[in-house]
Amino acid sequence: MLERGDLRRTRLLRAAGRIFAVAVGAAGVILIILIRSPTPALEVDLRGTSWQAVQLGDQRFERQPPTLAFHSTSASVVVDTGCRALTFEYGLDTDGDAISFRDVTRGEGACVGDLADQDGLVTTALANADGWAVETPTAIRIIGRDGSILRLTRYP
């Protein structure tokens, strides 16, 4: 059985319109996991929707979950990290499986206190976003270039 500590490197690989997570473990063991979307990403329109971050990797957001509110007419999203609100621009590629975010507020406003770590995790996850997948019409995940997965659920 492969344990979490056995994994040494994780990378994302795109092939035939699908995204795979490839992990190299101890003793050269290679683990390939298909990350696929049961609903094509382009069938879920992000415009005018709001999402709550549930989990980033092993980190669950329980106390004051970050939220993402996608603007209805522009490619912008307001991200409330729990201690400050930031505006990002986002872009999708032509087939809809890649997404990127750019902080247009340039990290204005200091985030202090016990939510500062959460703020850093969320902003870094968005800055490193490379793809996204739809789990259900009310659950999506944003996939980082480093293999990290930010899970979001639609609300309200």
Side-chain angles (χ1 to χ4, degrees):
M1 174 185 253
L2 200 60
E3 298 291 329
R4 179 178 304 273
D6 293 337
L7 300 179
R8 302 291 183 240
R9 294 182 311 242
T10 303
R11 297 282 183 249
L12 291 182
L13 171 69
R14 289 177 200 262
R18 295 190 174 151
I19 300 173
F20 298 86
V22 180
V24 178
V29 174
I30 297 175
L31 176 66
I32 300 175
I33 302 168
L34 171 63
I35 301 173
R36 64 185 192 104
S37 177
T39 303
L42 283 179
E43 290 185 20
V44 174
D45 190 358
L46 294 174
R47 293 176 297 180
T49 63
S50 296
W51 301 82
Q52 186 174 62
V54 180
Q55 185 174 352
L56 175 62
D58 292 336
Q59 175 72 42
R60 293 195 57 81
F61 301 115
E62 295 173 354
R63 193 173 133 235
Q64 192 170 349
T67 59
L68 287 77
F70 289 84
H71 194 273
S72 62
T73 58
S74 69
S76 65
V77 57
V78 175
V79 179
D80 182 343
T81 66
C83 64
R84 64 182 176 155
L86 302 169
T87 301
F88 284 76
E89 289 179 342
Y90 71 96
L92 300 172
D93 69 351
T94 56
D95 62 2
D97 68 345
I99 192 168
S100 62
F101 294 89
R102 184 174 67 89
D103 181 0
V104 294
T105 54
R106 295 174 189 28
E108 293 173 1
C111 185
V112 295
D114 56 352
L115 291 174
D117 288 342
Q118 177 173 294
D119 177 269
L121 288 171
V122 172
T123 56
T124 299
L126 293 176
N128 290 325
D130 184 47
W132 71 298
V134 177
E135 295 175 354
T136 70
T138 60
I140 62 174
R141 58 185 172 226
I142 296 174
I143 305 162
R145 287 185 294 275
D146 60 356
S148 63
I149 296 177
L150 176 62
R151 296 185 185 279
L152 304 166
T153 57
R154 193 166 180 174
Y155 86 98

